[in-house]
Amino acid sequence: MPTPVHLSNLGPPGREHLRLLPPPSLADDARHRKLTLPPARVQRAARAVAEALFHADDKPADPARLDWLAADLLDFMARATGRAQLILRASLWALTWLAPLFVFTPLPLGWLPVGKRVLALERMELSPLGPAALAVKAMLCMIWFEHPDTQRETRTETSCLREP
Amino acid sequence: MAGSLQSASRLDGELKLDCDVVVVGSGAGGAVIATTLAEAGYDVVVLEEGPHVPYTGELRPTESVRHTWRDGAVTLAIGLGDSPSINVTAGRCLGGSSTLTGGVCFRIPEHVLDGWVHAGLSELTPEKMAPWFDQVEQDVHVEEVPVDMRSRGTQLFGEGYAKLGAELKPMRRNTRGCNGCGRCNFGCAHKAKLSVDIAYLPRAVAAGARLYTGCLVGKVEFAGTRATGVSGRILDFDSQRPARAFSVRAKRVVLAAGAMFNPLILWKSGLDFPVLGRHLSLHPSFRVIGRFDTPVRGWEGAMQSAYGDRYERDEGMLFNSVFVPNGVLAATMPGFGNNHAKLCEQIDHLGIFGGMLHDDATGRVRRGFGREPIMTYRSSPRDRGRIPVLLRRMADIWFAAGAKEIFLPVFGAPAQTPDSMKHFPLEQVHGRKLECSSQHPLGTCQMGVDPQRSVVDDHGRVWGTQGLYVGCGSVMPSSLGVNPQLAIMTMALRTATLMAAEGK
């Protein structure tokens, strides 16, 4: 059996070795891709769900934060592969058009008052269409809870166990 | 001569390369093979589909997901019959999935290796594998997570586990200088997790390897049965759609694109085997959340620091400490509006632990439309029957630790108290209502001794070909039952060393 050999003379493994992998230039930086955003109706559909999801204490969610959320979700979708976009858009479509049927109202979700939207989405979540509700809810929640104001309100500010 | 790292998307003109060895994929398998061969004097080219994202520490978790995770984290193995659909996370960046792990390093359990030896892989005994493990553990700096690095949630689960007569054991991880920020899955903010983009690929470049990102390999090229290189498309930088063609001529080809993509490349190359794409193991994993009266702040501490293996050997169940971003925790809370908001107010009081099944590898990768495969998963009756047992055990542990309520991974299910849990019809919950995830796609190009029952031999050589190797998690002959990154790196080191011993 050949014996594994260690030929590296770079010293112990660690972040110091990263100097050998040059960071991407601005032109190669994935953050600076030119994006084709999904159409505005996708943003409207996401916002309609978010308004219901984050309606707390019978008060509407902060509109500025909802705007930020919807815009960031679109950025996420634009960077995702075709299949991810398909799943998220299909889920949003299901929430927009099928969720209202759970409250016997054949209208787009965004046309319903927020209270009725909440009821429709909660019923859909418990139905066999629950995974579609979860897919959208997961994306909205993940982004929403990254907002500094949400973190402050929910006492979930990012922190490490030890100081770096 | 030092090598290079370049984005193929930004290169002008045709990309046509010649080399000794071309490695497809820069994850835990590909990086180790590329480094080992480059240091042995081979001219190595590494092709990676994803981008180089060394700045994950500057990104929010969802930004990291959109830049470095495949499919924006919505990759799914479709559950068939009464099986849960499984969300499979995988990396799509330089370093592959090793950049997304919690850093957990397990050696392949002896009883698993014994099973492989029993199946004819006589070189894979625990004794013969030990030097390979030793080497990789040195290369990636495997160390035990100190007890004081455990999050409060892990401590509580450990207290409950102890009350039921067992002890959590410290995890071993590939880290140096971890501060316990609990966000390993989204790229270590301090580069303390020594994923292969830190521990191996710089060595490969120092030894002359050429790394290219943005290269989607389509197929292996052959002259007769001898592999002569690979061809594919360079991804357009902005749209990430396949654009210009590229080709690499090589004396040897190593596929290390993972369990999801290696079968696609082999099929497109005109190869097929009875078991190609079959025996996909996913280690189906389930989270159970405990709610406490006092703050837990489970994100403060190592994301993965301890495990419980009391039921691993006999029942194939492993408990792993874990934490997920608060947004994901919020998403698992049932309801919308006021109901959801009330539950979310308690996020800092939640502890979370994972339970993982050592599955029977009953998944399958199939050809899909376009460039992505379709994964399906039909749980064996044994695996399906163990899911409610696993979840009840985890609930018992949380309640023993003092949790007031627990949240099961059942879509829309309300919180359960100790009393209500006794009557919760967990055994009757349909698979499609179960929230299940996997970070460990393995198999589909299994190693074995019979071409009818495997895809590669015990050196990683694809049956019936010359110069074509597979070197990643897809070669695992069976499910492992433990987090696989160390096993993948170790098997890759073994394959690369055997390749080097064959000479140029």
Side-chain angles (χ1 to χ4, degrees), chain B residues 24-26 30 70 254-262 265 470-472 474:
Chain B
V24 180
S26 68
R70 183 165 291 284
V254 180
L255 298 183
M260 289 190 271
F261 287 89
N262 277 346
I265 296 172
V470 179
C472 59
S474 66

Side-chain angles (χ1 to χ4, degrees), chain B residues 6-336:
Chain B
Q6 296 183 76
S7 164
S9 306
R10 291 299 190 194
L11 295 176
D12 293 326
E14 278 187 297
L15 182 63
K16 287 191 173 181
L17 302 168
D18 277 284
C19 60
D20 293 328
V21 182
V22 59
V23 180
V24 180
S26 68
V32 173
I33 288 178
T35 304
T36 306
L37 291 175
E39 290 183 345
Y42 287 78
D43 178 16
V44 176
V45 167
V46 180
L47 303 173
E48 167 58 48
E49 177 192 350
H52 179 211
V53 185
Y55 41 76
T56 46
E58 301 166 26
L59 305 177
R60 291 182 278 123
T62 64
E63 288 178 320
S64 189
V65 167
R66 67 193 86 171
H67 292 304
T68 63
W69 290 36
R70 183 165 291 284
D71 271 348
V74 299
T75 307
L76 203 66
I78 301 162
L80 302 178
D82 188 25
S83 308
S85 287
I86 304 174
N87 175 221
V88 183
T89 54
R92 184 181 166 276
C93 59
L94 195 74
S97 299
S98 82
T99 64
L100 317 182
T101 70
V104 177
C105 289
F106 280 104
R107 293 190 173 200
I108 301 170
E110 288 196 4
H111 62 275
V112 173
L113 287 173
D114 289 342
W116 296 358
V117 172
H118 185 70
L121 295 163
S122 57
E123 291 297 310
L124 303 184
T125 63
E127 297 74 26
K128 288 180 177 171
M129 290 298 289
W132 308 104
F133 279 117
D134 291 342
Q135 182 66 59
V136 173
E137 288 180 1
Q138 180 185 325
D139 288 347
V140 299
H141 200 266
V142 175
E143 60 182 2
E144 204 168 83
V145 185
V147 171
D148 68 0
M149 189 64 80
R150 292 182 185 179
S151 68
R152 176 83 184 122
T154 298
Q155 291 171 27
L156 287 165
F157 192 87
E159 289 170 17
Y161 196 48
K163 284 181 183 165
L164 298 182
E167 292 291 329
L168 287 184
K169 297 177 179 177
M171 290 270 195
R172 297 164 74 235
R173 299 182 307 164
N174 52 330
T175 53
R176 216 184 94 198
C178 173
N179 299 312
C181 306
R183 56 158 286 166
C184 315
N185 283 159
F186 305 99
C188 179
H190 307 293
K191 300 295 178 196
K193 181 177 70 179
L194 300 187
S195 43
V196 296
D197 56 319
I198 298 175
Y200 277 104
L201 292 175
R203 280 174 53 188
V205 169
R210 291 170 282 164
L211 281 51
Y212 292 88
T213 57
C215 292
L216 182 68
V217 171
K219 61 178 182 176
V220 181
E221 301 290 346
F222 286 94
T225 56
R226 172 163 288 283
T228 57
V230 298
S231 60
R233 295 274 173 181
I234 295 171
L235 300 178
D236 176 76
F237 180 75
D238 292 321
S239 70
Q240 291 292 290
R241 295 200 175 112
R244 291 175 295 139
F246 75 86
S247 62
V248 181
R249 281 189 359 169
K251 293 170 189 159
R252 282 187 259 186
V253 175
V254 180
L255 298 183
M260 289 190 271
F261 287 89
N262 277 346
L264 288 193
I265 296 172
L266 289 172
W267 280 318
K268 284 180 187 167
S269 309
L271 297 174
D272 204 357
F273 300 90
V275 296
L276 182 60
R278 293 175 185 263
H279 303 300
L280 171 69
S281 164
L282 289 176
H283 292 160
S285 301
F286 301 88
R287 293 190 286 257
V288 177
I289 298 166
R291 185 187 66 76
F292 291 82
D293 280 344
T294 53
V296 175
R297 296 180 67 82
W299 59 91
E300 292 173 346
M303 198 192 88
Q304 298 200 266
S305 58
Y307 69 101
D309 62 356
R310 178 181 187 175
Y311 304 106
E312 206 294 309
R313 174 71 193 253
D314 297 327
E315 299 179 63
M317 298 177 191
L318 188 71
F319 300 134
N320 271 349
S321 68
V322 70
F323 200 77
V324 297
N326 297 312
V328 177
L329 267 180
T332 63
M333 300 287 116
F336 283 73

Side-chain angles (χ1 to χ4, degrees), chain A residues 1-10 12-18 20-24 26-35 49 52-59 68 72-73 75-76 79-85 87-88 95 117-118 121-122 125-128 130-131 133-134 137-139 141-143 145-147 154-164, chain B residues 5 7 10 39-40 51-52 54-55 58-62 65-67 71-72 74-75 94 128 131-132 135 138-141 146 148-150 176-181 190-192 194 197-199 201-203 205-206 211 237-238 240 297 299-301 326-328 330-331 333-341 344-345 347-348 372-373 411-412 432-433 493 497-498 501:
Chain A
M1 182 185 72
T3 309
V5 287
H6 189 270
L7 296 175
S8 173
N9 56 6
L10 297 177
R15 60 179 80 90
E16 302 81 8
H17 294 184
L18 281 173
L20 291 159
L21 295 183
L26 206 60
D28 289 335
D29 190 324
R31 290 173 289 191
H32 301 301
R33 285 187 185 132
K34 293 186 192 111
L35 302 177
V49 178
L53 179 57
F54 302 117
H55 186 85
D57 300 327
D58 294 318
K59 288 183 205 148
W68 172 83
D72 203 52
L73 180 69
D75 179 88
F76 185 100
R79 292 176 189 280
T81 56
R83 189 162 65 175
Q85 272 212 34
I87 290 172
L88 286 170
L95 266 59
R117 274 187 239 172
V118 169
L121 291 166
E122 286 189 331
E125 186 179 36
L126 293 171
S127 78
L134 183 77
K137 189 174 169 181
M139 284 316 312
C141 279
M142 278 186 71
I143 297 172
F145 274 79
E146 288 175 349
H147 195 285
T154 54
R155 304 174 305 279
T156 55
E157 300 93 338
T158 308
S159 50
C160 305
L161 194 63
R162 294 176 183 165
E163 286 299 314
Chain B
L5 166 61
S7 164
R10 291 299 190 194
E39 290 183 345
H52 179 211
Y55 41 76
E58 301 166 26
L59 305 177
R60 291 182 278 123
T62 64
V65 167
R66 67 193 86 171
H67 292 304
D71 271 348
V74 299
T75 307
L94 195 74
K128 288 180 177 171
W132 308 104
Q135 182 66 59
Q138 180 185 325
D139 288 347
V140 299
H141 200 266
D148 68 0
M149 189 64 80
R150 292 182 185 179
R176 216 184 94 198
C178 173
N179 299 312
C181 306
H190 307 293
K191 300 295 178 196
L194 300 187
D197 56 319
I198 298 175
L201 292 175
R203 280 174 53 188
V205 169
L211 281 51
F237 180 75
D238 292 321
Q240 291 292 290
R297 296 180 67 82
W299 59 91
E300 292 173 346
N326 297 312
V328 177
M333 300 287 116
F336 283 73
N338 288 341
N339 293 335
H340 185 251
C344 289
E345 283 172 6
I347 280 179
D348 64 338
E372 303 288 331
F411 294 134
R432 69 170 170 263
K433 296 279 285 181
L493 176 66
T497 308
L498 291 168

